[in-house]
Amino acid sequence: MAHTGRSLRLGVNIDHVATIRNARGGRHPDPVRAARLAAQAGADGITAHLREDRRHISDEDIRRLSTEIDLPLNLEMAATAEMLAVALRHKPHAACLVPEKRAEVTTEGGLDVIGGESHLQPFVTRLNDAGIRVSLFIDPDLGQLDAAVRIGAPVVELHTGSYCEAEGRKRDTELRRLVEAAAHAEALGLECHAGHGLSYETVAPVAAIPTILELNIGHFLVGEAIFSGLDSAIKRMRALMDKARAESHGEKSA
Ligand code: PXP
């Protein structure tokens, strides 16, 4: 029998629906409506980043996403007391700890878990104790994975930004880093996710890494929705992920 392998989940990040809404204030377009549509289009989860400066997702969005959407919510958050209180109030299915700098355009790099063990550990413990699945957003660096285990995180999300931005041979090098990190995560017993900057062009090689169980994708999908609609963009992304995954299983069992 063909080896079916482990399935790959798609978390749709709806932050930039809120970015467009906030450009004018008001309520349109509504990220909760986008989340409902994502569910119908085949997303397995919704991801939203409540930033300290509330530049896109608002507290009210998090409240509504927690209560009005059936899909699991993955709350991306900085390791601050304010965000911990939000997570403990809404009890999302998952929380992904991310580094956050006020002036950055987007999350620029992974968390420094090695340098921040003593700061991060209490957040991981509090979220674990509340039954919230904690992930740490890190660069594909083996030392950072080891540190994630030391502080008790069950999940890591590998930052795919450098891979997506690189071209040619450099992209191959960045892909190898992701492959090695995903294998190391598996060996350490960590569940492995990946995301940031993924597009139709870059998603397949990451989806083909068999020990990665979830991809979180946002900006590209919301941008592409302008041209083809959100439903179509999500379905096409899902199809590319599934095809790459199926082909990689085929190669392994051939
Ligand atoms: N994963 C994490 C931890 C992120 O911070 C982001 C961006 O908010 C994403 C995934 C999605 O990245 P993008 O919007 O570039 O697809």
Side-chain angles (χ1 to χ4, degrees):
M1 201 171 86
H3 171 56
T4 51
R6 284 170 289 181
S7 62
L8 177 62
R9 300 190 297 268
L10 170 61
V12 172
N13 180 316
I14 41 103
D15 291 351
H16 296 298
V17 178
T19 303
I20 299 170
R21 175 195 60 193
N22 294 0
R24 284 286 173 95
R27 296 188 185 165
H28 184 77
D30 178 10
V32 178
R33 181 175 166 199
R36 269 193 215 107
L37 207 149
Q40 286 160 15
D44 301 292
I46 299 299
T47 293
H49 185 176
L50 185 67
R51 293 188 76 103
E52 200 183 2
D53 61 8
R54 308 301 197 270
R55 70 175 70 155
H56 38 55
I57 292 292
S58 69
D59 296 70
E60 176 63 3
D61 292 330
I62 295 297
R63 188 195 66 73
R64 291 180 60 218
L65 289 166
S66 309
T67 54
E68 296 178 24
I69 299 297
D70 290 333
L71 288 182
L73 174 65
N74 174 31
L75 172 68
E76 292 177 357
M77 54 179 268
T80 64
E82 183 198 12
M83 289 303 151
L84 180 64
V86 171
L88 297 177
R89 183 156 63 246
H90 295 294
K91 298 256 173 67
H93 165 74
C96 180
L97 295 180
V98 299
E100 201 174 297
K101 296 186 210 105
R102 242 170 225 275
E104 69 189 355
V105 177
T106 182
T107 314
E108 280 167 2
L111 274 176
D112 178 11
V113 187
I114 300 170
E117 273 187 45
S118 57
H119 172 71
L120 293 168
Q121 181 150 34
F123 289 91
V124 173
T125 304
R126 293 288 300 277
L127 293 164
N128 275 338
D129 289 349
I132 300 168
R133 188 199 68 191
V134 194
S135 67
L136 303 180
F137 187 47
I138 56 172
D139 291 324
D141 176 295
L142 306 193
Q144 296 292 349
L145 288 155
D146 295 336
V149 173
R150 282 199 295 277
I151 65 169
V155 183
V156 288
E157 178 166 330
L158 301 178
H159 197 315
T160 50
S162 300
Y163 155 75
C164 291
E165 280 161 25
E167 286 175 7
R169 284 218 194 126
K170 192 152 184 301
R171 187 179 280 176
D172 297 339
T173 306
E174 291 296 334
L175 181 62
R176 271 198 299 281
R177 287 182 69 206
L178 291 167
V179 170
E180 280 165 20
H184 193 58
E186 166 96 340
L188 293 172
L190 287 165
E191 181 171 321
C192 190
H193 302 172
H196 209 282
L198 292 168
S199 66
Y200 294 153
E201 190 209 337
T202 52
V203 76
V206 181
I209 302 172
T211 54
I212 291 183
L213 300 189
E214 180 175 309
L215 299 182
N216 286 300
I217 310 180
H219 184 267
F220 179 84
L221 288 173
V222 174
E224 195 59 21
I226 293 168
F227 304 109
S228 66
L230 190 57
D231 179 78
S232 154
I234 292 171
K235 284 184 175 151
R236 185 161 166 206
M237 187 63 83
R238 175 90 265 168
L240 289 168
M241 287 166 53
D242 292 347
K243 182 166 179 282
R245 192 65 155 212
E247 284 172 0
S248 79
H249 291 147
E251 277 164 26
K252 294 227 161 48
S253 52

Coordinates of all heavy atoms in Angstrom, one line a residue, residues 92-123:
P92 N -7.4 30.8 22.7 CA -7.4 30.2 21.4 C -6.9 28.8 21.4 O -6.2 28.4 22.4 CB -6.4 31.2 20.7 CG -5.5 31.7 21.7 CD -6.4 31.8 23.0
H93 N -7.1 28.1 20.3 CA -6.6 26.7 20.2 C -5.0 26.8 20.3 O -4.4 25.9 21.0 CB -7.0 26.2 18.8 CG -6.2 25.0 18.4 ND1 -6.5 23.7 19.0 CD2 -5.2 24.8 17.5 CE1 -5.6 22.8 18.5 NE2 -4.9 23.4 17.6
A94 N -4.4 27.8 19.7 CA -3.0 27.8 19.7 C -2.5 29.3 19.8 O -3.2 30.2 19.5 CB -2.5 27.3 18.3
A95 N -1.2 29.4 20.3 CA -0.6 30.7 20.4 C 0.8 30.5 19.8 O 1.5 29.6 20.1 CB -0.5 31.2 21.8
C96 N 1.2 31.4 18.9 CA 2.5 31.4 18.3 C 3.3 32.6 18.9 O 2.9 33.8 18.6 CB 2.4 31.4 16.8 SG 4.0 31.4 16.0
L97 N 4.3 32.4 19.6 CA 5.1 33.5 20.1 C 6.0 34.0 19.0 O 6.8 33.3 18.4 CB 5.9 33.1 21.4 CG 5.1 32.7 22.6 CD1 6.0 32.3 23.7 CD2 4.2 33.8 23.0
V98 N 6.0 35.3 18.8 CA 6.8 35.9 17.7 C 7.5 37.1 18.3 O 7.1 37.8 19.3 CB 5.9 36.4 16.5 CG1 5.1 35.3 15.9 CG2 4.9 37.5 17.0
P99 N 8.7 37.5 17.7 CA 9.3 38.7 18.1 C 8.6 39.9 17.6 O 8.0 39.7 16.5 CB 10.7 38.6 17.5 CG 10.5 37.7 16.3 CD 9.4 36.8 16.6
E100 N 8.6 41.0 18.2 CA 7.9 42.1 17.7 C 8.7 43.4 17.9 O 9.0 43.7 19.1 CB 6.5 42.2 18.3 CG 5.5 43.0 17.5 CD 4.1 42.9 18.1 OE1 3.5 41.8 18.2 OE2 3.6 44.0 18.5
K101 N 8.9 44.1 16.8 CA 9.6 45.4 17.0 C 8.6 46.4 16.5 O 8.0 46.2 15.4 CB 10.9 45.5 16.2 CG 11.9 44.5 16.7 CD 13.2 44.7 15.9 CE 14.0 43.4 15.8 NZ 14.0 42.8 14.5
R102 N 8.4 47.5 17.2 CA 7.4 48.5 16.8 C 7.5 49.0 15.4 O 6.6 49.1 14.7 CB 7.5 49.7 17.7 CG 6.3 50.0 18.5 CD 6.6 51.0 19.6 NE 6.1 50.6 20.9 CZ 4.9 50.8 21.3 NH1 4.0 51.4 20.5 NH2 4.4 50.4 22.4
A103 N 8.8 49.3 14.9 CA 8.9 50.0 13.6 C 9.0 49.0 12.4 O 9.0 49.4 11.3 CB 10.2 50.8 13.6
E104 N 9.0 47.7 12.7 CA 9.1 46.8 11.6 C 7.9 46.8 10.7 O 6.8 47.0 11.2 CB 9.5 45.4 12.1 CG 8.3 44.7 12.8 CD 8.7 43.4 13.5 OE1 9.8 42.9 13.4 OE2 7.8 42.9 14.2
V105 N 8.1 46.4 9.4 CA 6.9 46.3 8.5 C 6.2 45.0 8.7 O 5.0 44.9 8.6 CB 7.4 46.5 7.0 CG1 6.3 46.3 6.1 CG2 8.1 47.8 6.8
T106 N 7.0 44.0 9.0 CA 6.4 42.7 9.2 C 7.4 42.0 10.2 O 8.5 42.5 10.5 CB 6.2 41.8 7.9 OG1 5.6 40.6 8.3 CG2 7.5 41.6 7.2
T107 N 7.1 40.7 10.6 CA 7.9 40.0 11.6 C 9.3 39.7 10.8 O 9.3 38.9 9.9 CB 7.3 38.7 12.1 OG1 5.9 39.1 12.4 CG2 8.0 38.2 13.2
E108 N 10.3 40.4 11.3 CA 11.5 40.4 10.5 C 12.4 39.1 10.6 O 13.2 38.8 9.8 CB 12.4 41.6 10.8 CG 11.8 42.8 10.0 CD 12.3 44.1 10.5 OE1 13.2 44.2 11.4 OE2 11.9 45.2 9.9
G109 N 12.4 38.5 11.8 CA 13.2 37.3 12.0 C 12.6 36.5 13.0 O 11.6 36.8 13.6
G110 N 13.2 35.3 13.3 CA 12.6 34.5 14.3 C 12.9 34.9 15.7 O 13.8 35.8 15.9
L111 N 12.3 34.3 16.7 CA 12.6 34.6 18.1 C 14.0 34.1 18.4 O 14.5 33.1 17.9 CB 11.7 33.7 19.0 CG 10.3 34.2 19.3 CD1 9.7 33.1 20.2 CD2 10.3 35.5 20.2
D112 N 14.7 34.9 19.3 CA 16.0 34.4 19.8 C 15.6 33.6 21.1 O 15.6 34.2 22.2 CB 16.9 35.5 20.1 CG 18.2 35.0 20.7 OD1 18.5 33.8 20.7 OD2 19.0 35.9 21.2
V113 N 15.4 32.3 20.9 CA 15.0 31.5 22.1 C 16.2 31.2 22.9 O 16.2 31.2 24.2 CB 14.4 30.1 21.6 CG1 13.9 29.4 22.8 CG2 13.3 30.4 20.6
I114 N 17.4 31.1 22.3 CA 18.6 30.8 23.1 C 18.9 32.0 24.0 O 19.1 31.8 25.2 CB 19.8 30.6 22.1 CG1 19.6 29.4 21.2 CG2 21.1 30.4 22.9 CD1 20.6 29.3 20.1
G115 N 18.9 33.2 23.5 CA 19.2 34.4 24.3 C 18.0 34.8 25.2 O 18.2 35.5 26.2
G116 N 16.8 34.3 24.9 CA 15.6 34.7 25.7 C 15.0 33.6 26.5 O 13.8 33.8 26.9
E117 N 15.7 32.5 26.8 CA 15.1 31.4 27.5 C 14.4 31.8 28.8 O 13.3 31.4 29.0 CB 16.2 30.4 27.8 CG 16.4 29.4 26.7 CD 17.4 28.2 27.1 OE1 17.2 27.7 28.2 OE2 18.3 27.9 26.3
S118 N 15.1 32.6 29.6 CA 14.5 32.9 30.9 C 13.3 33.8 30.8 O 12.3 33.7 31.5 CB 15.5 33.5 31.9 OG 16.1 34.6 31.3
H119 N 13.3 34.7 29.7 CA 12.1 35.5 29.5 C 10.9 34.7 28.9 O 9.8 34.9 29.4 CB 12.5 36.7 28.5 CG 11.3 37.5 28.1 ND1 10.6 38.3 29.0 CD2 10.6 37.5 26.9 CE1 9.6 38.9 28.3 NE2 9.5 38.4 27.1
L120 N 11.3 33.8 28.0 CA 10.2 33.1 27.3 C 9.6 32.0 28.0 O 8.4 31.7 27.9 CB 10.7 32.6 25.9 CG 11.1 33.7 24.9 CD1 11.9 33.0 23.8 CD2 9.9 34.4 24.4
Q121 N 10.4 31.3 28.8 CA 9.9 30.1 29.5 C 8.6 30.3 30.3 O 7.7 29.5 30.2 CB 11.0 29.5 30.4 CG 10.5 28.2 31.1 CD 11.7 27.3 31.4 OE1 12.8 27.7 31.7 NE2 11.4 26.0 31.3
P122 N 8.5 31.4 31.1 CA 7.2 31.5 31.9 C 6.0 31.7 30.9 O 4.9 31.2 31.3 CB 7.4 32.8 32.7 CG 8.9 33.0 32.7 CD 9.5 32.4 31.4
F123 N 6.2 32.3 29.8 CA 5.0 32.4 28.8 C 4.6 31.0 28.3 O 3.5 30.7 28.2 CB 5.4 33.4 27.7 CG 5.5 34.8 28.1 CD1 6.7 35.3 28.5 CD2 4.4 35.6 28.1 CE1 6.8 36.6 28.9 CE2 4.5 36.9 28.5 CZ 5.7 37.5 29.0

